[in-house]
Amino acid sequence: MSSQINYDSKRMACGPADLKALKPKLEAAKNKILQLSESGAQGWIDVVHDVKLPKIIDKACRENAKFTTCLVLGIGGSDLAARAMYKALKPANSKKRLVFAGANTDPDELAEVLDDLDWKKTIINVISKSGETIETMSAFLIAREKMEKSLGKKQAAKQIIATTSEDSGALRALCEKENYYFLPIPENIGGRFSGLTAVGLFPLAFAGINARAILKGAQEQIKLFKSQSSEKNKAALFAALQFLAYTKQKRGIQILMPYAERLREFAFWYRQLWAESLGKEKNAKGEAVNIGPTPVAALGATDQHSQIQLYTEGPDDKTVTFIEVKKFKFDLAVPKSVKSDKIFGKLAGIKLENIIHAERAATEFALQQKSRPSGTLYLKSLNATSMGELIMFFELATAISGELYGINAYDQPGVEAGKMKLKSILDI
Ligand code: PA5
């Protein structure tokens, strides 16, 4: 297969000299990432080639084929990738659906979600690598009680799937004790890099989305990353340009603005990946650096009427990356019958796809007029393979950025500190 992604960076404000100077660092970053993968220290590259993974997913889907709803409970890295891919790939007219909760402790939200479920037709997929995250686990315990009240404890246990660490944590222990169906999260894959494991792939496959095609897309990006020089590789180029914008131009706000409603959630997945991986107090040597770009999730064309005024005329501290989907699924056009209308006649026959593409081009132009940098990722179309590519493109770009910044992209001490404090406030 060939890649369905292209990255146009010619409007990123970066001199070739800066990129040239970064070349050795970029090459070193690539080597380090490959070495982390080969040594098994990081598993997120290897996992997409693991032939056992699709089989595990298939089996779990087969065994739960009679259910129509999957209540997916998770937060952060155990939530956002599945949400993003479901929004992008949700099959039309499917009898199966995913319902997400657990990403907040807002009782009103959870109560509404649970009230709407028919437990006889529902499975719960509780996802937590640590198995001890308060948001996820409290939502799970509430949902489980409702399910048990409706079906009885024995039957409920047959409708619970726990996706968690292979060999540690409270959820793993509970899973053993209650005999819940178990799906593994490999130890060497951190939360926000786990979207292409059972964490994201089981719920998606349950909903009828082709998990193998997602993996195939991810494999394509890895193939390109390995075979191309780091200056030619688009994920590496993206990382390099954002890094230079931050370090050389003080452009630390890095916006992702897909022009596709189906990629709305994807921008939030990017936001977490970029923020949690790159925002660090210390560098890899343990020195205080307090570094990291601030990612922003935006949506075209909607945010042209909300954010673009700020991006074009406010502080010049941002980069914008658009995503353009070349071919949409539906072919809608303004009716030709309005041709004779004095005011709207000129819109007659214009395809919405052409309007949304023109809007992105117009925004790019407006930014350029004010010397504000932007880049565009072009996707041929939105499908399981291109989504797999997109996910891996950003995982690679994040890992490369981590190396360029000289920080550990895989830990999150700032998050852990909050998790610990929460437990002490709640006295648990
Ligand atoms: O990326 C991360 O590591 C975090 O965002 C975690 O995914 C998040 O805190 C949830 O953790 P867990 O899967 O242990 O419940």
Side-chain angles (χ1 to χ4, degrees), residues 343-363:
I343 298 170
F344 302 115
K346 286 196 172 150
L347 283 177
I350 297 191
K351 287 182 174 185
L352 282 194
E353 185 174 272
N354 293 346
I355 298 178
I356 202 165
H357 289 165
E359 291 192 272
R360 192 211 57 77
T363 305

Side-chain angles (χ1 to χ4, degrees), residues 73-80 127-137 163-165 171 185 189-194 199 272-273 276-277 409-412 415-416 419:
L73 302 174
I75 193 168
S78 290
D79 168 57
L80 289 159
I127 309 172
S128 173
K129 185 173 178 199
S130 64
E132 291 170 20
T133 303
I134 301 296
E135 293 88 339
T136 308
M137 295 315 294
T163 308
T164 187
S165 161
L171 180 57
I185 308 178
I189 303 181
R192 57 197 173 275
F193 287 84
S194 70
V199 168
Q272 188 230 1
L273 184 69
E276 230 172 78
S277 304
Y410 307 105
D411 66 358
Q412 55 286 323
V415 180
E416 303 305 337
K419 282 187 178 182

Side-chain angles (χ1 to χ4, degrees), residues 124-175:
I124 298 176
N125 182 200
V126 51
I127 309 172
S128 173
K129 185 173 178 199
S130 64
E132 291 170 20
T133 303
I134 301 296
E135 293 88 339
T136 308
M137 295 315 294
S138 51
F140 169 64
L141 296 170
I142 293 167
R144 182 180 72 165
E145 188 187 62
K146 289 221 174 241
M147 191 187 236
E148 286 177 352
K149 274 194 179 142
S150 164
L151 306 175
K153 198 169 162 30
K154 206 168 151 206
Q155 181 55 35
K158 292 185 188 154
Q159 293 178 210
I160 293 171
I161 298 179
T163 308
T164 187
S165 161
E166 264 166 326
D167 35 42
S168 65
L171 180 57
R172 182 75 188 102
L174 185 68
C175 187

Side-chain angles (χ1 to χ4, degrees), residues 12 15 17 34 39 61 81 119 141 176 186 192 284 317 320 355-356 416:
M12 284 299 289
L34 294 177
S39 68
C61 285
W119 292 110
L141 296 170
E176 284 283 300
R192 57 197 173 275
D317 54 2
V320 182
I355 298 178
I356 202 165
E416 303 305 337

